[in-house]
């Protein structure tokens, strides 16, 4: 079982999620750009590592009556996959358990190398932008906020370099 710290590291790697500390030391993560009233992706992540991910709109996951799946015993890959699919489902896209996703390295296969691509860029003043590929577009995030999106990686790099950013590993 992953520890709370390990789960937080995985979940916080999704720049589109916003952390919300709630009662009893539990943590929720919201997807504010959800096209539905539902915004919780991660629900009541507890100090002991137990918690839930909203997967009602993701086919193939057994959920409770609230649409949640328990992530207590999930591996890193399983957690990353279900969180990515939960986010994608809240954009209005139909998703099933077996789908290959282009979020935060959810699919590690070589044929999806471009889709799993994620980079961090910094400028001389210490500002950081995160770049990742999702459903045919390259997204640039400033923290939790979408800065812009491009159709090609080349356009993305050109923009970032024009704005004074350099790629960091």
């Amino acid at each position: 079982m992953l520890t709370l710290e390990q789960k937080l590291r995985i979940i916080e790697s999704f720049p589109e999620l916003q952390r919300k500390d709630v009662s009893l030391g539990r943590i929720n993560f919201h997807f504010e750009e959800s096209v539905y009233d539902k915004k919780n992706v991660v629900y009541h992540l507890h100090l002991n590592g137990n918690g839930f991910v909203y997967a009602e709109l993701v086919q193939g996951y057994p959920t409770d009556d609230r649409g949640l799946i328990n992530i207590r015993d999930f591996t890193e890959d399983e957690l990353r996959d279900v969180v990515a699919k939960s986010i994608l489902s809240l954009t209005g896209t139909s998703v099933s358990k077996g789908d290959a996703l282009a979020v935060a390295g959810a699919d590690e296969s070589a044929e999806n190398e471009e889709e799993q691509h994620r980079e961090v860029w910094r400028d001389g003043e210490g500002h950081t932008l995160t770049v990742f590929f999702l459903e045919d577009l390259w997204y640039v995030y400033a923290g939790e906020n979408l800065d812009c999106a491009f159709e090609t990686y080349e356009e993305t790099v050109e923009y970032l370099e024009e704005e004074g950013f350099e790629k960091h590993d």
Side-chain angles (χ1 to χ4, degrees), residues 39-116:
K39 297 202 183 300
N40 268 340
V41 170
V42 177
Y43 180 72
H44 283 181
L45 186 59
H46 192 272
L47 296 172
N48 67 11
N50 197 23
F52 302 89
V53 169
Y54 180 70
E56 183 174 34
L57 303 173
V58 180
Q59 299 172 5
Y61 283 98
T63 60
D64 65 14
D65 59 341
R66 297 173 297 166
L68 301 172
I69 184 168
N70 189 299
I71 58 168
R72 178 183 177 101
D73 296 321
F74 273 37
T75 66
E76 179 176 349
D77 290 341
E78 290 170 331
L79 179 59
R80 189 175 307 281
D81 190 56
V82 74
V83 169
K85 289 174 182 171
S86 177
I87 293 167
L88 188 59
S89 74
L90 292 174
T91 67
T93 303
S94 176
V95 183
S96 65
K97 184 175 181 179
D99 286 346
L101 289 184
V103 179
D107 185 355
E108 299 295 328
S109 69
E111 67 189 38
N112 289 314
E113 184 176 326
E114 183 179 48
E115 293 181 358
Q116 68 183 346

